[in-house]
């Protein structure tokens, strides 16, 4: 018995890295999986359908059920076809894991327009487009009187939560994915669909330059293994997570951190419009002695 027996899942960008681990785990928990991957280079160039098929072969060799899909998740036509693939192959869709993407890092003053547009497109639109067609699928089923089981698990990044130097395109897209997660969670609640996001930290080709040297010694737990992320996604996809929506989790090694978003940090409340001089006079009251420089990065 798996926690996802009878469910149908899509994992985007599942031919490699974190998505591959997620597809394998969802299948091991009983889901039938559409393994999507365009098969791009680390910078988003080219295509290679064999990348998705290799993960399908692994799932089938382990006794699971999967089909490959090579659509570009950031195009509406591709995303529509991706959802149709799940319906045609397995009769419906229950779980969408948005994960695909790539990087084109540069300092803001050096970033070219193409690098900015490509990264915003693949992450932000590449999350929205599959979510849109999955939501339409679930809405149609609900309207037809069917009970809907719906889970969307998005992939943000600590870059999007706290900002990272050299990644103004990527951090903006990943921050937007958090906002999109909250919006989709509110929109789809009435259909019984939950929407959450994970911010992983793992050694893949995307993080090779920073984490490539961090390999566990023989027999030790590998804190940086990309497959460490998958159990949290399996949990959020499961029936046990029905009451969890609009939440964000940083997942790395053996740690799952629940992170909370914006909250009121201080206020100046007045009965009339402030003047600049008035705000200058009251700024110490607003901040109440707390630091006002660039916020600390991440979880310590
Ligand atoms: N590795 C980390 O530490 C880390 C940290 C934070 C966030 N993330 C996020 O996790 C996700 C997975 O990253 P990864 O580290 O496994 O990278 P990866 O490069 O190993 O895998 C990403 C996959 O997405 C595919 N892809 C790219 N564009 C696509 C498109 N338009 N349509 C379909 N597939 C496409 C690629 O072919 C690739 O196989 C990404 O969203 C990434 O931003 C990773």
């Amino acid at each position: 018995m798996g926690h996802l027996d009878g469910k149908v899942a899509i994992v985007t960008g599942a031919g490699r890295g974190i998505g591959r681990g997620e597809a394998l785990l969802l299948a091991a928990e009983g889901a039938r999986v559409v393994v999507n991957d365009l098969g791009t280079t680390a910078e988003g160039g080219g295509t290679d359908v064999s990348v998705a098929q290799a993960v399908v072969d692994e799932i089938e060799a382990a006794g699971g059920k999967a089909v490959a899909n090579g659509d570009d998740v950031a195009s509406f036509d591709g995303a529509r076809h991706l959802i149709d693939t799940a319906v045609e192959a397995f009769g419906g869709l229950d779980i969408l894991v948005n994960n695909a993407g790539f990087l084109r890092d540069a300092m803001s003053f050096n970033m070219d327009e193409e690098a900015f547009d490509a990264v915003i497109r693949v992450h932000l639109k590449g999350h929205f487009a599959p979510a849109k067609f999955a939501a339409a699928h679930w809405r149609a089923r609900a309207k037809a009187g069917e009970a809907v089981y719906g889970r969307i698990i998005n992939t943000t990044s600590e870059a999007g939560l706290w900002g990272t130097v050299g990644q103004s395109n990527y951090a903006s897209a990943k921050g937007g994915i958090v906002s999109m997660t909250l919006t989709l969670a509110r929109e789809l609640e009435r259909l019984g669909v939950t929407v959450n996001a994970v911010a992983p930290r793992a050694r893949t080709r995307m993080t090779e330059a920073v984490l490539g040297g961090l390999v566990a010694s023989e027999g030790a737990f590998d804190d940086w293994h990309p497959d460490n992320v998958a159990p949290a996604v399996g949990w959020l996809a499961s029936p046990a997570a029905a009451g969890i929506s609009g939440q964000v989790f940083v997942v790395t090694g053996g740690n799952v951190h629940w992170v909370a978003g914006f909250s009121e940090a201080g206020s100046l409340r007045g009965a009339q419009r402030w003047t600049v001089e008035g705000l200058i006079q009251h700024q110490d009251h607003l901040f109440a002695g707390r630091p006002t420089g660039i916020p600390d990065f991440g979880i310590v």
Side-chain angles (χ1 to χ4, degrees):
M1 283 289 285
H3 290 289
L4 303 174
D5 283 347
K7 304 284 188 275
V8 177
I10 291 172
V11 184
T12 73
R16 297 190 186 88
I18 293 165
R20 170 184 168 276
E22 292 168 344
L24 292 172
L25 181 132
L26 297 185
E29 289 289 349
R32 290 160 287 165
V33 182
V34 179
V35 177
N36 160 269
D37 204 299
L38 190 55
T40 70
T41 64
E43 295 76 35
T47 58
D48 180 2
V49 281
S50 70
V51 171
Q53 187 57 46
V55 176
V56 169
D57 294 346
E58 278 190 84
I59 290 171
E60 288 179 343
K65 285 197 169 58
V67 293
N69 171 281
D71 283 313
D72 174 4
V73 293
S75 96
F76 273 30
D77 283 348
R80 186 190 292 110
H81 184 250
L82 173 60
I83 306 307
D84 287 349
T85 299
V87 174
E88 281 157 22
F90 301 128
L93 176 68
D94 303 295
I95 299 157
L96 169 65
V97 182
N98 282 317
N99 164 80
F102 54 78
L103 294 178
R104 301 224 186 129
D105 292 356
M107 294 297 279
S108 49
F109 39 80
N110 288 327
M111 187 167 294
D112 61 41
E113 189 169 354
E114 214 271 323
F116 188 83
D117 287 349
V119 169
I120 294 287
R121 177 184 183 275
V122 74
H123 290 280
L124 201 54
K125 193 174 169 195
H127 271 57
F128 177 71
K132 172 196 155 72
F133 290 103
H137 168 75
W138 287 320
R139 184 163 174 265
R141 278 172 56 182
K143 282 198 156 189
E146 286 180 51
V148 168
Y149 184 98
R151 298 279 188 274
I152 298 178
I153 297 113
N154 290 328
T155 308
T156 182
S157 165
E158 289 170 277
L161 302 179
W162 290 294
T164 37
V165 171
Q167 296 192 313
S168 49
N169 51 358
Y170 180 68
S172 306
K174 290 303 199 186
I177 286 168
V178 173
S179 311
M180 191 193 301
T181 298
L182 290 163
T183 300
L184 294 174
R186 293 186 201 287
E187 282 188 4
L188 304 183
E189 183 182 24
R190 73 197 69 171
L191 298 178
V193 176
T194 69
V195 189
N196 294 288
V198 295
R201 214 190 281 167
R203 189 184 54 245
T204 67
R205 65 177 188 170
M206 188 179 276
T207 52
E208 186 64 29
V210 186
L211 303 178
L214 297 175
V215 181
S217 52
E218 181 109 15
F221 173 58
D222 184 355
D223 261 325
W224 301 103
H225 199 289
D227 292 356
N228 294 339
V229 180
V233 169
W235 161 57
L236 292 169
S238 76
I244 304 169
S245 197
Q247 305 300 328
V248 181
F249 303 88
V250 173
V251 183
T252 175
N255 303 323
V256 177
H257 305 278
W258 180 29
V259 291
F262 287 109
S263 59
E264 187 182 25
S267 306
L268 291 178
R269 296 179 196 269
Q272 38 193 313
R273 185 185 302 161
W274 285 89
T275 62
V276 173
E277 179 58 25
L279 290 170
I280 290 169
Q281 292 302 323
H282 288 83
Q283 65 181 27
D284 289 348
H285 176 74
L286 177 62
F287 298 125
R290 281 169 297 164
T292 54
I294 299 167
D296 290 340
F297 185 96
I299 292 161
V300 285

